[in-house]
Amino acid sequence: MKIVFDGYRPGALAGVLGLHMHYYAQHWGFGLAFEIKVASELSAFLGRFDRHRDLFLTAWRGDQLAGSVSLDISGGGPEGAHLRWFVVSGEERGSGLGKQLLARAVSHSDSIAGGPIWLTTFAGLDAAKTLYEGMGFIRETEHSGDQWQGGVTEQKFIRPAPTLFDGEF
């Protein structure tokens, strides 16, 4: 059965939250504080979602959520579009789905906003870091703050706005 890309479907919010909790609880020991943060921020995003600008992309294999990524352009702030809730199910890790989701998000941002994209993550997520760097993201900062309350070192990555010309005139 092939992957089908979609937006919101009934149950997608709970599915994205479930994928996050399954991975981050098992591999990083994240618990209730992280779950509340993801649930409240994702709910707020979907509640103010601008379908002409923002992106809530889901990937499905049959009726199973295989992955997702979101791009908050309208609420990303002065730093540009905010890439969020990027996750792939355990069954799909290593299949290339993460790269496809990220490429679609970057393409969406380039066509709608045309500005920089930023995200927050933490040290140790090496596969995601490789994907980000492959799409032109650069680690801007790293610090010991821990908004997810999981004892991690936070990182901020930014992908500069695309340029029209690669060289000089």
Side-chain angles (χ1 to χ4, degrees):
M1 194 173 295
K2 73 177 203 159
I3 291 285
V4 174
F5 293 96
D6 202 354
Y8 173 80
R9 291 182 185 181
L13 186 155
V16 171
L17 179 61
L19 288 179
H20 275 81
M21 287 314 300
H22 185 267
Y23 177 79
Y24 290 104
Q26 180 180 8
H27 296 282
W28 294 91
F30 287 15
L32 182 59
F34 177 72
E35 188 165 5
I36 290 169
K37 182 173 182 55
V38 172
S40 63
E41 291 179 5
L42 180 55
S43 296
F45 168 70
L46 290 173
R48 65 172 170 71
F49 183 79
D50 179 342
R51 65 183 182 90
H52 299 292
R53 295 182 50 77
D54 300 324
L55 177 71
F56 179 70
L57 181 63
T58 55
W60 302 83
R61 189 172 298 279
D63 63 353
Q64 294 297 308
L65 182 62
S68 77
V69 67
S70 295
L71 197 59
D72 189 355
I73 295 174
S74 351
E79 297 176 275
H82 190 179
L83 185 88
R84 307 189 77 184
W85 306 297
F86 177 44
V87 67
V88 174
S89 72
E91 297 79 20
E92 297 295 338
R93 283 193 198 99
S95 70
L97 177 58
K99 185 175 184 177
Q100 291 177 58
L101 285 164
L102 190 57
R104 286 173 181 248
V106 167
S107 176
H108 178 84
S109 179
D110 288 351
S111 68
I112 299 295
I117 307 170
W118 63 279
L119 63 96
T120 54
T121 187
F122 57 87
L125 297 174
D126 297 332
K129 178 183 176 244
T130 299
L131 288 175
Y132 298 142
E133 290 173 343
M135 293 286 172
F137 285 83
I138 301 161
R139 189 176 69 212
E140 183 178 68
T141 61
E142 182 172 278
H143 61 90
S144 60
D146 184 4
Q147 66 176 312
W148 300 289
Q149 299 179 23
V152 296
T153 300
E154 288 188 23
Q155 298 175 324
K156 180 178 178 184
F157 282 77
I158 188 161
R159 180 180 175 268
T163 58
L164 296 176
F165 303 102
D166 291 330
E168 296 182 31
F169 291 105

mmCIF file of all heavy atoms in Angstrom, residues 51-101:
data_model
loop_
_atom_site.group_PDB
_atom_site.id
_atom_site.type_symbol
_atom_site.label_atom_id
_atom_site.label_comp_id
_atom_site.label_asym_id
_atom_site.label_seq_id
_atom_site.Cartn_x
_atom_site.Cartn_y
_atom_site.Cartn_z
ATOM 1 N N ARG A 51 -5.490 28.190 5.733
ATOM 2 C CA ARG A 51 -5.284 27.180 4.679
ATOM 3 C C ARG A 51 -4.614 27.736 3.434
ATOM 4 O O ARG A 51 -4.121 26.979 2.601
ATOM 5 C CB ARG A 51 -6.591 26.481 4.332
ATOM 6 C CG ARG A 51 -7.635 27.365 3.718
ATOM 7 C CD ARG A 51 -8.932 26.567 3.471
ATOM 8 N NE ARG A 51 -9.921 27.396 2.829
ATOM 9 C CZ ARG A 51 -10.063 27.513 1.509
ATOM 10 N NH1 ARG A 51 -9.287 26.827 0.698
ATOM 11 N NH2 ARG A 51 -10.989 28.288 1.005
ATOM 12 N N HIS A 52 -4.569 29.053 3.288
ATOM 13 C CA HIS A 52 -3.912 29.662 2.130
ATOM 14 C C HIS A 52 -2.420 29.889 2.370
ATOM 15 O O HIS A 52 -1.683 30.151 1.425
ATOM 16 C CB HIS A 52 -4.578 30.991 1.766
ATOM 17 C CG HIS A 52 -6.021 30.829 1.406
ATOM 18 N ND1 HIS A 52 -6.434 30.179 0.266
ATOM 19 C CD2 HIS A 52 -7.146 31.206 2.052
ATOM 20 C CE1 HIS A 52 -7.755 30.174 0.219
ATOM 21 N NE2 HIS A 52 -8.214 30.793 1.288
ATOM 22 N N ARG A 53 -1.987 29.807 3.620
ATOM 23 C CA ARG A 53 -0.576 30.084 3.939
ATOM 24 C C ARG A 53 0.090 28.933 4.681
ATOM 25 O O ARG A 53 1.169 28.494 4.308
ATOM 26 C CB ARG A 53 -0.474 31.364 4.774
ATOM 27 C CG ARG A 53 -0.908 32.602 4.016
ATOM 28 C CD ARG A 53 -0.756 33.882 4.833
ATOM 29 N NE ARG A 53 0.529 34.086 5.473
ATOM 30 C CZ ARG A 53 1.647 34.493 4.873
ATOM 31 N NH1 ARG A 53 1.650 34.720 3.590
ATOM 32 N NH2 ARG A 53 2.762 34.671 5.551
ATOM 33 N N ASP A 54 -0.527 28.479 5.747
ATOM 34 C CA ASP A 54 0.076 27.477 6.618
ATOM 35 C C ASP A 54 0.012 26.079 5.983
ATOM 36 O O ASP A 54 -0.692 25.866 4.996
ATOM 37 C CB ASP A 54 -0.629 27.460 7.968
ATOM 38 C CG ASP A 54 -0.539 28.798 8.687
ATOM 39 O OD1 ASP A 54 0.506 29.467 8.583
ATOM 40 O OD2 ASP A 54 -1.528 29.180 9.344
ATOM 41 N N LEU A 55 0.723 25.142 6.593
ATOM 42 C CA LEU A 55 0.733 23.760 6.103
ATOM 43 C C LEU A 55 0.571 22.803 7.277
ATOM 44 O O LEU A 55 1.290 22.907 8.276
ATOM 45 C CB LEU A 55 2.066 23.469 5.391
ATOM 46 C CG LEU A 55 2.264 22.048 4.876
ATOM 47 C CD1 LEU A 55 1.349 21.771 3.677
ATOM 48 C CD2 LEU A 55 3.719 21.811 4.493
ATOM 49 N N PHE A 56 -0.380 21.916 7.162
ATOM 50 C CA PHE A 56 -0.526 20.773 8.065
ATOM 51 C C PHE A 56 -0.562 19.560 7.149
ATOM 52 O O PHE A 56 -1.567 19.259 6.522
ATOM 53 C CB PHE A 56 -1.809 20.876 8.901
ATOM 54 C CG PHE A 56 -2.011 19.709 9.838
ATOM 55 C CD1 PHE A 56 -1.189 19.550 10.943
ATOM 56 C CD2 PHE A 56 -3.018 18.782 9.618
ATOM 57 C CE1 PHE A 56 -1.372 18.471 11.808
ATOM 58 C CE2 PHE A 56 -3.210 17.707 10.479
ATOM 59 C CZ PHE A 56 -2.384 17.559 11.580
ATOM 60 N N LEU A 57 0.585 18.901 7.021
ATOM 61 C CA LEU A 57 0.737 17.806 6.071
ATOM 62 C C LEU A 57 0.819 16.487 6.822
ATOM 63 O O LEU A 57 1.637 16.335 7.734
ATOM 64 C CB LEU A 57 2.005 18.023 5.230
ATOM 65 C CG LEU A 57 2.304 16.976 4.161
ATOM 66 C CD1 LEU A 57 1.212 16.947 3.092
ATOM 67 C CD2 LEU A 57 3.664 17.266 3.523
ATOM 68 N N THR A 58 -0.026 15.567 6.424
ATOM 69 C CA THR A 58 -0.009 14.226 7.009
ATOM 70 C C THR A 58 0.280 13.214 5.902
ATOM 71 O O THR A 58 -0.004 13.460 4.726
ATOM 72 C CB THR A 58 -1.353 13.889 7.687
ATOM 73 O OG1 THR A 58 -2.420 14.064 6.742
ATOM 74 C CG2 THR A 58 -1.591 14.784 8.900
ATOM 75 N N ALA A 59 0.853 12.098 6.293
ATOM 76 C CA ALA A 59 1.143 11.003 5.364
ATOM 77 C C ALA A 59 0.498 9.742 5.926
ATOM 78 O O ALA A 59 0.680 9.428 7.104
ATOM 79 C CB ALA A 59 2.653 10.823 5.220
ATOM 80 N N TRP A 60 -0.239 9.047 5.099
ATOM 81 C CA TRP A 60 -1.009 7.887 5.537
ATOM 82 C C TRP A 60 -0.649 6.661 4.707
ATOM 83 O O TRP A 60 -0.475 6.750 3.496
ATOM 84 C CB TRP A 60 -2.502 8.162 5.379
ATOM 85 C CG TRP A 60 -2.960 9.365 6.141
ATOM 86 C CD1 TRP A 60 -2.885 10.667 5.740
ATOM 87 C CD2 TRP A 60 -3.544 9.377 7.434
ATOM 88 N NE1 TRP A 60 -3.392 11.488 6.718
ATOM 89 C CE2 TRP A 60 -3.809 10.726 7.767
ATOM 90 C CE3 TRP A 60 -3.879 8.375 8.344
ATOM 91 C CZ2 TRP A 60 -4.380 11.093 8.970
ATOM 92 C CZ3 TRP A 60 -4.461 8.748 9.552
ATOM 93 C CH2 TRP A 60 -4.709 10.092 9.850
ATOM 94 N N ARG A 61 -0.540 5.551 5.380
ATOM 95 C CA ARG A 61 -0.436 4.258 4.710
ATOM 96 C C ARG A 61 -1.719 3.529 5.104
ATOM 97 O O ARG A 61 -1.865 3.087 6.240
ATOM 98 C CB ARG A 61 0.804 3.490 5.145
ATOM 99 C CG ARG A 61 1.028 2.248 4.274
ATOM 100 C CD ARG A 61 2.345 1.548 4.531
ATOM 101 N NE ARG A 61 3.543 2.311 4.272
ATOM 102 C CZ ARG A 61 4.110 2.513 3.071
ATOM 103 N NH1 ARG A 61 3.517 2.044 1.986
ATOM 104 N NH2 ARG A 61 5.232 3.188 2.960
ATOM 105 N N GLY A 62 -2.650 3.481 4.164
ATOM 106 C CA GLY A 62 -3.977 2.971 4.494
ATOM 107 C C GLY A 62 -4.640 3.935 5.471
ATOM 108 O O GLY A 62 -4.647 5.139 5.254
ATOM 109 N N ASP A 63 -5.131 3.401 6.573
ATOM 110 C CA ASP A 63 -5.759 4.269 7.580
ATOM 111 C C ASP A 63 -4.816 4.570 8.746
ATOM 112 O O ASP A 63 -5.235 5.096 9.771
ATOM 113 C CB ASP A 63 -7.068 3.652 8.085
ATOM 114 C CG ASP A 63 -6.875 2.314 8.788
ATOM 115 O OD1 ASP A 63 -5.731 1.779 8.767
ATOM 116 O OD2 ASP A 63 -7.850 1.803 9.362
ATOM 117 N N GLN A 64 -3.522 4.251 8.579
ATOM 118 C CA GLN A 64 -2.536 4.493 9.628
ATOM 119 C C GLN A 64 -1.719 5.744 9.331
ATOM 120 O O GLN A 64 -1.166 5.882 8.227
ATOM 121 C CB GLN A 64 -1.581 3.305 9.750
ATOM 122 C CG GLN A 64 -2.249 2.033 10.222
ATOM 123 C CD GLN A 64 -2.821 2.175 11.619
ATOM 124 O OE1 GLN A 64 -2.137 2.588 12.543
ATOM 125 N NE2 GLN A 64 -4.095 1.832 11.769
ATOM 126 N N LEU A 65 -1.628 6.639 10.297
ATOM 127 C CA LEU A 65 -0.802 7.825 10.150
ATOM 128 C C LEU A 65 0.665 7.405 10.159
ATOM 129 O O LEU A 65 1.130 6.767 11.093
ATOM 130 C CB LEU A 65 -1.074 8.817 11.283
ATOM 131 C CG LEU A 65 -0.304 10.131 11.212
ATOM 132 C CD1 LEU A 65 -0.659 10.927 9.960
ATOM 133 C CD2 LEU A 65 -0.569 10.963 12.459
ATOM 134 N N ALA A 66 1.375 7.765 9.093
ATOM 135 C CA ALA A 66 2.770 7.372 8.946
ATOM 136 C C ALA A 66 3.726 8.502 9.290
ATOM 137 O O ALA A 66 4.888 8.263 9.605
ATOM 138 C CB ALA A 66 3.027 6.889 7.515
ATOM 139 N N GLY A 67 3.253 9.742 9.223
ATOM 140 C CA GLY A 67 4.112 10.873 9.533
ATOM 141 C C GLY A 67 3.391 12.187 9.319
ATOM 142 O O GLY A 67 2.283 12.216 8.780
ATOM 143 N N SER A 68 4.050 13.257 9.749
ATOM 144 C CA SER A 68 3.475 14.584 9.567
ATOM 145 C C SER A 68 4.544 15.650 9.698
ATOM 146 O O SER A 68 5.626 15.408 10.238
ATOM 147 C CB SER A 68 2.373 14.859 10.601
ATOM 148 O OG SER A 68 2.941 15.164 11.859
ATOM 149 N N VAL A 69 4.203 16.816 9.197
ATOM 150 C CA VAL A 69 5.004 18.024 9.389
ATOM 151 C C VAL A 69 4.047 19.202 9.263
ATOM 152 O O VAL A 69 3.052 19.135 8.538
ATOM 153 C CB VAL A 69 6.165 18.120 8.368
ATOM 154 C CG1 VAL A 69 5.663 18.332 6.947
ATOM 155 C CG2 VAL A 69 7.161 19.197 8.761
ATOM 156 N N SER A 70 4.345 20.271 9.977
ATOM 157 C CA SER A 70 3.538 21.481 9.892
ATOM 158 C C SER A 70 4.442 22.672 9.668
ATOM 159 O O SER A 70 5.608 22.670 10.082
ATOM 160 C CB SER A 70 2.743 21.692 11.185
ATOM 161 O OG SER A 70 1.798 20.660 11.349
ATOM 162 N N LEU A 71 3.881 23.675 9.034
ATOM 163 C CA LEU A 71 4.603 24.904 8.768
ATOM 164 C C LEU A 71 3.689 26.055 9.153
ATOM 165 O O LEU A 71 2.634 26.253 8.555
ATOM 166 C CB LEU A 71 4.974 24.968 7.287
ATOM 167 C CG LEU A 71 6.038 25.949 6.905
ATOM 168 C CD1 LEU A 71 7.361 25.685 7.614
ATOM 169 C CD2 LEU A 71 6.252 25.911 5.400
ATOM 170 N N ASP A 72 4.089 26.783 10.180
ATOM 171 C CA ASP A 72 3.318 27.918 10.673
ATOM 172 C C ASP A 72 3.906 29.186 10.050
ATOM 173 O O ASP A 72 4.886 29.735 10.548
ATOM 174 C CB ASP A 72 3.389 27.955 12.201
ATOM 175 C CG ASP A 72 2.440 28.968 12.815
ATOM 176 O OD1 ASP A 72 1.781 29.708 12.075
ATOM 177 O OD2 ASP A 72 2.373 28.998 14.056
ATOM 178 N N ILE A 73 3.311 29.601 8.950
ATOM 179 C CA ILE A 73 3.763 30.806 8.269
ATOM 180 C C ILE A 73 3.093 32.031 8.880
ATOM 181 O O ILE A 73 3.734 33.021 9.183
ATOM 182 C CB ILE A 73 3.499 30.725 6.752
ATOM 183 C CG1 ILE A 73 4.348 29.601 6.145
ATOM 184 C CG2 ILE A 73 3.796 32.051 6.066
ATOM 185 C CD1 ILE A 73 4.076 29.318 4.682
ATOM 186 N N SER A 74 1.764 31.940 9.115
ATOM 187 C CA SER A 74 1.047 33.099 9.646
ATOM 188 C C SER A 74 1.462 33.475 11.054
ATOM 189 O O SER A 74 1.424 34.634 11.413
ATOM 190 C CB SER A 74 -0.456 32.905 9.657
ATOM 191 O OG SER A 74 -0.923 31.812 9.028
ATOM 192 N N GLY A 75 1.860 32.499 11.861
ATOM 193 C CA GLY A 75 2.232 32.775 13.242
ATOM 194 C C GLY A 75 3.698 32.544 13.540
ATOM 195 O O GLY A 75 4.092 32.467 14.703
ATOM 196 N N GLY A 76 4.522 32.411 12.509
ATOM 197 C CA GLY A 76 5.943 32.113 12.706
ATOM 198 C C GLY A 76 6.739 33.258 13.285
ATOM 199 O O GLY A 76 7.835 33.066 13.796
ATOM 200 N N GLY A 77 6.203 34.469 13.192
ATOM 201 C CA GLY A 77 6.872 35.631 13.762
ATOM 202 C C GLY A 77 7.888 36.237 12.815
ATOM 203 O O GLY A 77 7.990 35.854 11.646
ATOM 204 N N PRO A 78 8.653 37.190 13.327
ATOM 205 C CA PRO A 78 9.591 37.922 12.477
ATOM 206 C C PRO A 78 10.743 37.066 11.949
ATOM 207 O O PRO A 78 11.430 37.461 11.012
ATOM 208 C CB PRO A 78 10.111 39.027 13.399
ATOM 209 C CG PRO A 78 9.887 38.527 14.782
ATOM 210 C CD PRO A 78 8.659 37.654 14.711
ATOM 211 N N GLU A 79 10.933 35.888 12.525
ATOM 212 C CA GLU A 79 12.027 35.020 12.083
ATOM 213 C C GLU A 79 11.669 34.208 10.842
ATOM 214 O O GLU A 79 12.512 33.523 10.286
ATOM 215 C CB GLU A 79 12.436 34.087 13.211
ATOM 216 C CG GLU A 79 12.987 34.829 14.425
ATOM 217 C CD GLU A 79 13.277 33.885 15.552
ATOM 218 O OE1 GLU A 79 12.357 33.580 16.320
ATOM 219 O OE2 GLU A 79 14.434 33.431 15.635
ATOM 220 N N GLY A 80 10.417 34.247 10.426
ATOM 221 C CA GLY A 80 9.990 33.508 9.247
ATOM 222 C C GLY A 80 9.021 32.400 9.587
ATOM 223 O O GLY A 80 8.397 32.385 10.645
ATOM 224 N N ALA A 81 8.902 31.449 8.683
ATOM 225 C CA ALA A 81 7.997 30.315 8.858
ATOM 226 C C ALA A 81 8.574 29.359 9.904
ATOM 227 O O ALA A 81 9.767 29.076 9.912
ATOM 228 C CB ALA A 81 7.812 29.598 7.524
ATOM 229 N N HIS A 82 7.712 28.855 10.769
ATOM 230 C CA HIS A 82 8.123 27.966 11.855
ATOM 231 C C HIS A 82 7.771 26.525 11.478
ATOM 232 O O HIS A 82 6.600 26.175 11.370
ATOM 233 C CB HIS A 82 7.403 28.384 13.139
ATOM 234 C CG HIS A 82 7.902 27.716 14.365
ATOM 235 N ND1 HIS A 82 7.379 27.998 15.607
ATOM 236 C CD2 HIS A 82 8.859 26.782 14.589
ATOM 237 C CE1 HIS A 82 7.996 27.271 16.525
ATOM 238 N NE2 HIS A 82 8.897 26.523 15.921
ATOM 239 N N LEU A 83 8.780 25.698 11.291
ATOM 240 C CA LEU A 83 8.592 24.278 11.005
ATOM 241 C C LEU A 83 8.359 23.564 12.327
ATOM 242 O O LEU A 83 9.161 23.699 13.261
ATOM 243 C CB LEU A 83 9.830 23.711 10.309
ATOM 244 C CG LEU A 83 9.696 22.266 9.856
ATOM 245 C CD1 LEU A 83 9.088 22.224 8.463
ATOM 246 C CD2 LEU A 83 11.035 21.579 9.865
ATOM 247 N N ARG A 84 7.279 22.761 12.389
ATOM 248 C CA ARG A 84 6.915 22.123 13.659
ATOM 249 C C ARG A 84 6.325 20.734 13.438
ATOM 250 O O ARG A 84 5.898 20.398 12.352
ATOM 251 C CB ARG A 84 5.871 22.983 14.383
ATOM 252 C CG ARG A 84 6.333 24.417 14.542
ATOM 253 C CD ARG A 84 5.442 25.200 15.422
ATOM 254 N NE ARG A 84 5.729 24.825 16.802
ATOM 255 C CZ ARG A 84 5.038 25.300 17.842
ATOM 256 N NH1 ARG A 84 4.054 26.132 17.656
ATOM 257 N NH2 ARG A 84 5.347 24.923 19.057
ATOM 258 N N TRP A 85 6.294 19.969 14.489
ATOM 259 C CA TRP A 85 5.619 18.675 14.574
ATOM 260 C C TRP A 85 5.998 17.738 13.429
ATOM 261 O O TRP A 85 5.158 17.081 12.823
ATOM 262 C CB TRP A 85 4.104 18.869 14.699
ATOM 263 C CG TRP A 85 3.774 19.769 15.830
ATOM 264 C CD1 TRP A 85 4.017 19.547 17.159
ATOM 265 C CD2 TRP A 85 3.196 21.072 15.748
ATOM 266 N NE1 TRP A 85 3.623 20.633 17.897
ATOM 267 C CE2 TRP A 85 3.108 21.595 17.052
ATOM 268 C CE3 TRP A 85 2.745 21.865 14.696
ATOM 269 C CZ2 TRP A 85 2.596 22.835 17.336
ATOM 270 C CZ3 TRP A 85 2.228 23.107 14.972
ATOM 271 C CH2 TRP A 85 2.154 23.579 16.279
ATOM 272 N N PHE A 86 7.288 17.660 13.188
ATOM 273 C CA PHE A 86 7.853 16.779 12.160
ATOM 274 C C PHE A 86 8.126 15.436 12.824
ATOM 275 O O PHE A 86 8.947 15.342 13.734
ATOM 276 C CB PHE A 86 9.138 17.426 11.617
ATOM 277 C CG PHE A 86 9.884 16.608 10.607
ATOM 278 C CD1 PHE A 86 9.226 15.959 9.575
ATOM 279 C CD2 PHE A 86 11.259 16.520 10.669
ATOM 280 C CE1 PHE A 86 9.926 15.227 8.627
ATOM 281 C CE2 PHE A 86 11.981 15.796 9.722
ATOM 282 C CZ PHE A 86 11.302 15.149 8.704
ATOM 283 N N VAL A 87 7.425 14.414 12.366
ATOM 284 C CA VAL A 87 7.556 13.096 12.988
ATOM 285 C C VAL A 87 7.185 12.017 11.973
ATOM 286 O O VAL A 87 6.337 12.233 11.104
ATOM 287 C CB VAL A 87 6.680 12.992 14.265
ATOM 288 C CG1 VAL A 87 5.193 13.046 13.956
ATOM 289 C CG2 VAL A 87 7.032 11.787 15.101
ATOM 290 N N VAL A 88 7.853 10.880 12.087
ATOM 291 C CA VAL A 88 7.585 9.721 11.237
ATOM 292 C C VAL A 88 7.412 8.518 12.159
ATOM 293 O O VAL A 88 8.144 8.378 13.145
ATOM 294 C CB VAL A 88 8.748 9.509 10.234
ATOM 295 C CG1 VAL A 88 8.569 8.227 9.449
ATOM 296 C CG2 VAL A 88 8.876 10.698 9.294
ATOM 297 N N SER A 89 6.464 7.673 11.834
ATOM 298 C CA SER A 89 6.228 6.480 12.663
ATOM 299 C C SER A 89 7.431 5.550 12.630
ATOM 300 O O SER A 89 8.233 5.578 11.698
ATOM 301 C CB SER A 89 4.977 5.734 12.166
ATOM 302 O OG SER A 89 5.245 5.103 10.929
ATOM 303 N N GLY A 90 7.538 4.719 13.637
ATOM 304 C CA GLY A 90 8.639 3.770 13.725
ATOM 305 C C GLY A 90 8.715 2.852 12.518
ATOM 306 O O GLY A 90 9.806 2.523 12.040
ATOM 307 N N GLU A 91 7.579 2.454 11.982
ATOM 308 C CA GLU A 91 7.546 1.565 10.829
ATOM 309 C C GLU A 91 8.074 2.236 9.558
ATOM 310 O O GLU A 91 8.516 1.560 8.634
ATOM 311 C CB GLU A 91 6.109 1.065 10.560
ATOM 312 C CG GLU A 91 5.512 0.242 11.666
ATOM 313 C CD GLU A 91 4.988 1.074 12.847
ATOM 314 O OE1 GLU A 91 4.743 2.287 12.676
ATOM 315 O OE2 GLU A 91 4.854 0.507 13.939
ATOM 316 N N GLU A 92 8.024 3.550 9.507
ATOM 317 C CA GLU A 92 8.426 4.284 8.300
ATOM 318 C C GLU A 92 9.819 4.901 8.403
ATOM 319 O O GLU A 92 10.325 5.413 7.409
ATOM 320 C CB GLU A 92 7.407 5.389 7.998
ATOM 321 C CG GLU A 92 6.021 4.886 7.689
ATOM 322 C CD GLU A 92 5.910 4.062 6.414
ATOM 323 O OE1 GLU A 92 6.777 4.186 5.520
ATOM 324 O OE2 GLU A 92 4.948 3.286 6.302
ATOM 325 N N ARG A 93 10.438 4.862 9.586
ATOM 326 C CA ARG A 93 11.779 5.441 9.708
ATOM 327 C C ARG A 93 12.750 4.732 8.781
ATOM 328 O O ARG A 93 12.766 3.510 8.707
ATOM 329 C CB ARG A 93 12.264 5.377 11.152
ATOM 330 C CG ARG A 93 11.598 6.451 11.962
ATOM 331 C CD ARG A 93 12.217 6.686 13.324
ATOM 332 N NE ARG A 93 11.198 7.411 14.080
ATOM 333 C CZ ARG A 93 10.375 6.849 14.954
ATOM 334 N NH1 ARG A 93 10.506 5.590 15.263
ATOM 335 N NH2 ARG A 93 9.458 7.566 15.535
ATOM 336 N N GLY A 94 13.547 5.511 8.062
ATOM 337 C CA GLY A 94 14.513 4.965 7.126
ATOM 338 C C GLY A 94 13.945 4.710 5.736
ATOM 339 O O GLY A 94 14.670 4.298 4.838
ATOM 340 N N SER A 95 12.657 4.988 5.532
ATOM 341 C CA SER A 95 12.013 4.714 4.239
ATOM 342 C C SER A 95 12.113 5.885 3.261
ATOM 343 O O SER A 95 11.747 5.742 2.102
ATOM 344 C CB SER A 95 10.526 4.397 4.454
ATOM 345 O OG SER A 95 9.828 5.584 4.843
ATOM 346 N N GLY A 96 12.572 7.034 3.741
ATOM 347 C CA GLY A 96 12.600 8.227 2.901
ATOM 348 C C GLY A 96 11.393 9.128 3.104
ATOM 349 O O GLY A 96 11.320 10.220 2.529
ATOM 350 N N LEU A 97 10.436 8.689 3.918
ATOM 351 C CA LEU A 97 9.239 9.494 4.143
ATOM 352 C C LEU A 97 9.571 10.825 4.813
ATOM 353 O O LEU A 97 9.026 11.865 4.442
ATOM 354 C CB LEU A 97 8.212 8.721 4.979
ATOM 355 C CG LEU A 97 6.942 9.500 5.328
ATOM 356 C CD1 LEU A 97 6.213 9.975 4.069
ATOM 357 C CD2 LEU A 97 6.022 8.651 6.201
ATOM 358 N N GLY A 98 10.475 10.810 5.781
ATOM 359 C CA GLY A 98 10.852 12.057 6.449
ATOM 360 C C GLY A 98 11.402 13.072 5.466
ATOM 361 O O GLY A 98 11.051 14.254 5.512
ATOM 362 N N LYS A 99 12.240 12.617 4.562
ATOM 363 C CA LYS A 99 12.817 13.504 3.542
ATOM 364 C C LYS A 99 11.720 14.070 2.637
ATOM 365 O O LYS A 99 11.746 15.251 2.288
ATOM 366 C CB LYS A 99 13.863 12.746 2.722
ATOM 367 C CG LYS A 99 14.602 13.606 1.737
ATOM 368 C CD LYS A 99 15.709 12.836 1.051
ATOM 369 C CE LYS A 99 16.507 13.742 0.135
ATOM 370 N NZ LYS A 99 17.632 13.036 -0.486
ATOM 371 N N GLN A 100 10.755 13.229 2.271
ATOM 372 C CA GLN A 100 9.642 13.692 1.434
ATOM 373 C C GLN A 100 8.808 14.748 2.157
ATOM 374 O O GLN A 100 8.440 15.762 1.566
ATOM 375 C CB GLN A 100 8.751 12.522 1.038
ATOM 376 C CG GLN A 100 9.377 11.546 0.077
ATOM 377 C CD GLN A 100 8.435 10.385 -0.202
ATOM 378 O OE1 GLN A 100 7.315 10.587 -0.656
ATOM 379 N NE2 GLN A 100 8.885 9.173 0.111
ATOM 380 N N LEU A 101 8.492 14.497 3.424
ATOM 381 C CA LEU A 101 7.696 15.456 4.201
ATOM 382 C C LEU A 101 8.427 16.789 4.320
ATOM 383 O O LEU A 101 7.839 17.857 4.095
ATOM 384 C CB LEU A 101 7.398 14.894 5.595
ATOM 385 C CG LEU A 101 6.348 13.798 5.679
ATOM 386 C CD1 LEU A 101 6.430 13.077 7.020
ATOM 387 C CD2 LEU A 101 4.950 14.364 5.452
#
